Amino acid sequence: MDPHLLRTYVTVARVASFSEAARELGYTQSAVSQHIAALEQDLGAPLLTRRPVAPTAAGERLLEHAAPLLLRLDAARADVVRMVGAPEHGLTLAATPTALGSRTLAALPAAGVTLRVLAREEIPAAVARGGAELGLVDGLTAPNDPLRHPDVAPLTTYGVGEEPVCVLLPETHPLARRDGLRLADLVDARWLDAPDAGLPLAHLRRANGSGGFCPALRYEGTDVRTLAALAAAGHGLTLLPRAAATGVPGAVAVPLVAPRLVHRTELVHSGSPRGAAAALVDKLLERA
Amino acid sequence: MDPHLLRTYVTVARVASFSEAARELGYTQSAVSQHIAALEQDLGAPLLTRRPVAPTAAGERLLEHAAPLLLRLDAARADVVRMVGAPEHGLTLAATPTALGSRTLAALPAAGVTLRVLAREEIPAAVARGGAELGLVDGLTAPNDPLRHPDVAPLTTYGVGEEPVCVLLPETHPLARRDGLRLADLVDARWLDAPDAGLPLAHLRRANGSGGFCPALRYEGTDVRTLAALAAAGHGLTLLPRAAATGVPGAVAVPLVAPRLVHRTELVHSGSPRGAAAALVDKLLERA
DNA sequence: AGCCCCCCATCAGTGTTGCTTATCGAAGGT
DNA sequence: ACCTTCGATAAGCAACACTGATGGGGGGCT
């Protein structure tokens, strides 16, 4: 179970080709073939069908393990190297679009910041790997409940703020005049599924304890304005933190009153931040 | 960052000796020395001080990563091998002592079961490694909230039951006549700290949102009767699920009424259980 | 059908790696 | 001051991992 073997295995599984994987990894096709054979012999079972190349049942299982494993490996090396190497000057911050409130933006230092907008699940990974010193993740929870992050590595998280959640509806929507909405009444509505820009429907399903919330349109970008425009145009409802939901032309933001959910954003970093990262952490926390 | 190097590194750090680690791993002292040197060169920093052998700051950091990493590696191999190998006949169940309610015990098949009582945090690891097919973990949460497990591997968990929580007090205790107790009133009481037998104080601190709950006596065994006897003898309070707290001679069990916490037990397994394990899972879930 | 091409498996060869044995310098105990 | 113990280093050897070449089997195109 050498990590190298695992790495070639996942690439082979991804590109569904030995030769292509070899090219990608800079090996010969022969080496890749031997890697897979070694893994299969080690585990005592075929992992891939050949022609077409596709994971077997055991292979699927291994895939589930391999990705987080390799991620953790990268995270470990990055974490140790980071605390050894010189504190770089630039500061990279990975965040979801909805996690970037005005307070956060105001706290950023004037220069030398790289802001990287990523999908929600990629942020802990990016911070762990060292692609970003700090991460801002948001999500839906009960007040004061921490978010659930994929546990990719030993990361530290702090809550940096909670905000009410609103449903964004077109002005013409029959419910647009309400003062507050109950989630249970919206189970059968048409929803936008925008896991990277808005708040994921999966959080809603979990909060509501049941299924429903079938998506009418799926938006795969990370641009909140587009998402809001989609909602205003009547393509479906979406949830946004209040600040992001107000002032959208053609749409109104109605607070969600039941269940009691908040839009919570958390700061995540690995180990002990240094330099500009540490300063930003302090700045964000002192007012939290 | 070969796992072999990592493994020798953690053993060296554990036993604080190159030579001793070499003996334990079946290497020569020279090999161990080279392993550590390779790691240090790879990461670009010393990981251990020599004479005495102790981890440096970077080494400490690496240690935090290494243990879960190696665990996941074992878990991956065990998981794949498990679904390939023949379904063994015996069934091994790992559980905390307080997770074993009468309902669970009644559901066990008549023969061929190995029951392994472990500390709370070891159970997910044991299930992941394949040391047990199934695990039963318990803990304190808000009603219907899932427990938080250390995320050692992709494991599946189901709730199998929730039960009221009681404070176990000596009969002579001034609060023993109460119908219910509030946690906030007990912050400054003397508590037993029995992380493996009872319910960990850390859960309490988290639920109560603050510190306090300083332990008067620490009990490191896994025997609930002893723990109850300690409480009855006045060495400190402890929390137990109602079933385990009732009928203790010399002690009374008073329900905890605020905050609303329940003793929740969850069934954890990895992948798809087969044979006797699958039967037990069904049996436990159908009545949940 | 026949042909060709692409893909994966296998084999032999080779450079590198990883472990062992042997030896040295340094620190601590007696 | 001696001896023991511990970790670092050097040299040698065996196993390993990768390369390049070759072979067999399918699918697609004509």
Side-chain angles (χ1 to χ4, degrees):
Chain A
M1 294 271 298
D2 189 322
H4 293 199
L5 303 190
L6 241 42
R7 196 166 60 102
T8 77
Y9 173 68
V10 300
T11 44
V12 169
R14 178 165 51 79
V15 302
S17 157
F18 283 50
S19 323
E20 180 56 31
R23 247 159 285 157
E24 186 167 320
L25 296 170
Y27 287 135
T28 46
Q29 173 265 322
S30 170
V32 171
S33 192
Q34 291 175 45
H35 279 188
I36 303 297
L39 259 184
E40 292 184 328
Q41 186 157 25
D42 180 21
L43 296 174
L47 297 170
L48 293 167
T49 64
R50 323 295 152 99
R51 237 178 291 273
V53 174
T56 64
E60 290 281 6
R61 183 61 61 83
L62 183 59
L63 273 182
E64 291 170 23
H65 288 278
L69 209 78
L70 294 174
L71 174 59
R72 282 194 99 106
L73 213 59
D74 284 0
R77 104 165 295 104
D79 195 18
V80 176
V81 169
R82 181 164 23 191
M83 82 177 301
V84 167
E88 322 117 54
H89 283 327
L91 164 66
T92 320
L93 176 66
T96 57
T98 42
L100 291 167
S102 52
R103 238 200 47 216
T104 310
L105 296 179
L108 292 181
V113 176
T114 306
L115 195 53
R116 185 170 294 167
V117 174
L118 294 175
R120 198 162 268 103
E121 324 83 53
E122 296 172 24
I123 291 186
V127 174
R129 298 198 128 97
E133 280 83 48
L134 299 175
L136 278 170
V137 199
D138 59 348
L140 245 44
T141 42
N144 295 319
D145 257 26
L147 298 176
R148 312 249 162 162
H149 304 291
D151 183 10
V152 294
L155 296 176
T156 319
T157 67
Y158 301 103
V160 292
E162 296 187 350
E163 203 181 349
V165 187
C166 290
V167 183
L168 193 64
L169 315 133
E171 294 175 327
T172 58
H173 196 282
L175 299 174
R177 309 267 151 186
R178 298 279 191 92
D179 288 336
L181 287 171
R182 308 172 61 83
L183 193 56
D185 301 333
L186 300 170
V187 173
D188 298 322
R190 294 161 49 81
W191 285 90
L192 292 174
D193 186 18
D196 300 341
L199 293 166
L201 292 185
H203 287 206
L204 279 186
R205 294 203 192 89
R206 179 141 38 81
N208 205 45
S210 69
F213 302 104
C214 62
L217 187 148
R218 182 176 169 87
Y219 171 59
E220 295 194 339
T222 58
D223 176 32
V224 181
R225 273 198 64 242
T226 305
L227 178 66
L230 284 170
H235 284 106
L237 309 184
T238 192
L239 284 184
L240 286 174
R242 186 172 55 192
T246 51
V248 176
V252 290
V254 182
L256 191 70
V257 296
R260 295 183 61 77
L261 290 178
V262 294
H263 172 258
R264 178 181 172 89
T265 108
E266 291 185 353
L267 181 65
V268 34
H269 63 82
S270 97
S272 44
R274 315 194 329 191
L280 182 54
V281 170
D282 288 343
K283 210 160 177 183
L284 284 173
L285 289 183
E286 77 193 8
R287 300 201 260 165
Chain B
M1 294 268 299
D2 189 321
H4 293 212
L5 303 190
L6 241 43
R7 196 166 59 103
T8 75
Y9 173 67
V10 300
T11 45
V12 169
R14 178 165 49 80
V15 302
S17 156
F18 284 50
S19 323
E20 179 56 31
R23 248 160 283 155
E24 187 168 317
L25 296 170
Y27 287 135
T28 45
Q29 173 265 323
S30 170
V32 170
S33 192
Q34 292 174 44
H35 280 187
I36 303 298
L39 259 184
E40 291 183 329
Q41 185 157 21
D42 180 22
L43 296 175
L47 297 170
L48 293 168
T49 65
R50 324 295 152 98
R51 241 180 285 272
V53 174
T56 63
E60 291 279 6
R61 183 62 60 84
L62 182 60
L63 272 181
E64 291 171 22
H65 288 278
L69 228 143
L70 295 173
L71 175 59
R72 281 193 100 106
L73 213 61
D74 284 0
R77 107 166 293 105
D79 195 18
V80 177
V81 168
R82 181 164 25 190
M83 82 177 300
V84 166
E88 323 117 53
H89 284 327
L91 164 66
T92 322
L93 177 65
T96 57
T98 43
L100 291 166
S102 53
R103 239 199 46 215
T104 311
L105 297 179
L108 292 180
V113 177
T114 306
L115 196 53
R116 184 172 297 166
V117 174
L118 294 175
R120 198 162 268 102
E121 323 82 55
E122 296 174 23
I123 291 187
V127 173
R129 297 198 129 99
E133 280 83 49
L134 299 175
L136 278 170
V137 198
D138 59 349
L140 244 45
T141 44
N144 295 319
D145 257 25
L147 298 176
R148 314 249 160 163
H149 303 113
D151 182 9
V152 293
L155 296 176
T156 318
T157 65
Y158 300 104
V160 292
E162 296 188 348
E163 204 181 351
V165 188
C166 290
V167 183
L168 193 65
L169 317 131
E171 292 176 328
T172 58
H173 196 280
L175 298 174
R177 307 267 153 187
R178 297 280 190 95
D179 288 336
L181 287 171
R182 306 174 61 83
L183 192 55
D185 301 334
L186 300 170
V187 174
D188 299 321
R190 295 162 46 81
W191 284 90
L192 293 174
D193 186 18
D196 300 340
L199 292 166
L201 291 185
H203 289 206
L204 278 187
R205 293 202 192 91
R206 179 140 40 81
N208 206 46
S210 70
F213 302 105
C214 63
L217 186 149
R218 182 176 170 88
Y219 172 58
E220 296 194 337
T222 59
D223 177 32
V224 181
R225 273 198 66 240
T226 306
L227 178 66
L230 284 169
H235 284 104
L237 310 184
T238 192
L239 284 184
L240 286 174
R242 186 172 53 191
T246 50
V248 176
V252 289
V254 181
L256 192 69
V257 295
R260 296 184 59 75
L261 290 178
V262 293
H263 171 259
R264 179 181 171 90
T265 109
E266 291 185 353
L267 181 64
V268 36
H269 63 82
S270 95
S272 45
R274 316 195 330 191
L280 181 55
V281 170
D282 287 343
K283 211 160 176 182
L284 285 172
L285 289 183
E286 75 191 10
R287 300 201 259 165

